[in-house]
Amino acid sequence: SGSFNSQNRDPSWRSVMFDKSSYDETLKRSKTVYWSARSGIDSDSSNTLYGLWRSDDGGLSFNLVNDKMSNCMLRVHPTKGILYAAAYDGVYRSLDKGATFEKVLDGGCFRGIDVIDSLPDNVYVNNNNGLWKSEDCGRTFTKISGSSFPKGVSDTDTVNMTRNLSVSRLNPQRMTICRFNHSVYNSRKYYSEDGGVSWHMAYDENDNNFYTVNNRYSVFIWSPIEQNTVFAFGGDYVAKSTDGGKHYYYNFDGGNMS
């Protein structure tokens, strides 16, 4: 999840992460952009790129800066520029713009990570067994979640996963997450109202959906202006919740999107 960058007028896209601390007033954008290549996990055999790539010109060009950090979910401290990576074997952080990384949390495969502007030193991460939080820029982590956390199959399962943790910047007590079961192609959304301690399954309302729901895993985006509003992307449609992730409804009526 994150922002996307295309350099060929949209035939192909990269999921990238901008470093807000590198914002350039003249360019009107952040100069530093990161991209972790998807290596060895796609069915497309032509995918030969690997490692962590960085742009220092706002995404116009990218250079390989670390050949080991493929397949990572990335976040950046909004003012200090610290780079965080959720990887298949733990959580890492870099103080030198991705050249080197320190592992800061073990625990198998992590497919959820978030950093918010309102609490910039906090880092939130999840694997299949729970949610961890750091309040010191990723130096140390404490497990937050209890028994109601929607656990995945195992620590090492990289497909049937609990993933895509998202924290509201307006109210960090509100969080959303997705538990995906690929074997039956079934995705379930969950929400927390107490900072990730307890979790509840959300309800999907599909009355306005005019075609078959492809229930892929969800990616969540919290509204920056309404603390109860969160959007979920996944399954070929956009869903919206206005009650903090408790209920979602189909948020488009078939109009022209071209």
Side-chain angles (χ1 to χ4, degrees), residues 204-225:
D204 285 304
E205 173 60 70
N206 292 309
D207 287 353
N208 293 326
N209 189 1
F210 56 91
Y211 61 94
T212 302
V213 174
N214 295 311
N215 202 11
R216 298 181 177 89
Y217 57 76
S218 297
V219 178
F220 303 97
I221 303 294
W222 284 92
S223 169
I225 55 176

Side-chain angles (χ1 to χ4, degrees), residues 9 78 129 143-144 167 169 174 200 219 246 248-249:
R9 298 185 180 181
N129 283 321
K143 189 173 184 179
I144 300 299
V167 182
R169 72 174 71 174
R174 292 190 178 275
H200 313 276
V219 178
K246 297 178 183 178
Y248 290 86
Y249 61 90

Side-chain angles (χ1 to χ4, degrees), residues 42-182:
D42 290 323
S43 58
D44 182 1
S45 60
S46 64
N47 178 30
T48 59
L49 295 177
Y50 59 89
L52 177 72
W53 296 66
R54 189 184 75 224
S55 171
D56 295 312
D57 55 14
L60 297 179
S61 63
F62 283 82
N63 295 296
L64 180 66
V65 293
N66 190 303
D67 61 3
K68 296 180 175 62
M69 300 302 290
S70 303
N71 307 321
C72 294
M73 301 180 73
L74 306 174
R75 293 294 184 270
V76 184
H77 191 292
T79 59
K80 299 177 182 178
I82 302 170
L83 177 62
Y84 308 105
Y88 281 175
D89 64 343
V91 179
Y92 295 78
R93 75 169 189 160
S94 174
L95 304 179
D96 55 10
K97 302 177 75 171
T100 62
F101 281 84
E102 168 195 10
K103 180 183 275 192
V104 291
L105 184 62
D106 283 308
C109 182
F110 283 80
R111 290 287 88 180
I113 182 169
D114 208 1
V115 173
I116 55 176
D117 293 351
S118 54
L119 293 172
D121 289 345
N122 284 10
V123 187
Y124 306 85
V125 296
N126 81 273
N127 64 4
N128 273 343
N129 283 321
L131 166 71
W132 280 258
K133 180 174 74 171
S134 170
E135 297 179 330
D136 55 8
C137 301
R139 294 184 184 89
T140 61
F141 284 84
T142 301
K143 189 173 184 179
I144 300 299
S145 57
S147 59
S148 60
F149 182 83
K151 292 184 178 181
V153 174
S154 72
D155 289 346
T156 58
D157 193 321
T158 61
V159 177
N160 302 297
M161 296 200 63
T162 304
R163 59 188 301 151
N164 297 342
L165 171 70
S166 185
V167 182
S168 168
R169 72 174 71 174
L170 298 182
N171 182 357
Q173 295 298 300
R174 292 190 178 275
M175 302 179 178
T176 48
I177 208 165
C178 171
R179 185 182 187 276
F180 183 58
N181 188 336
H182 184 267

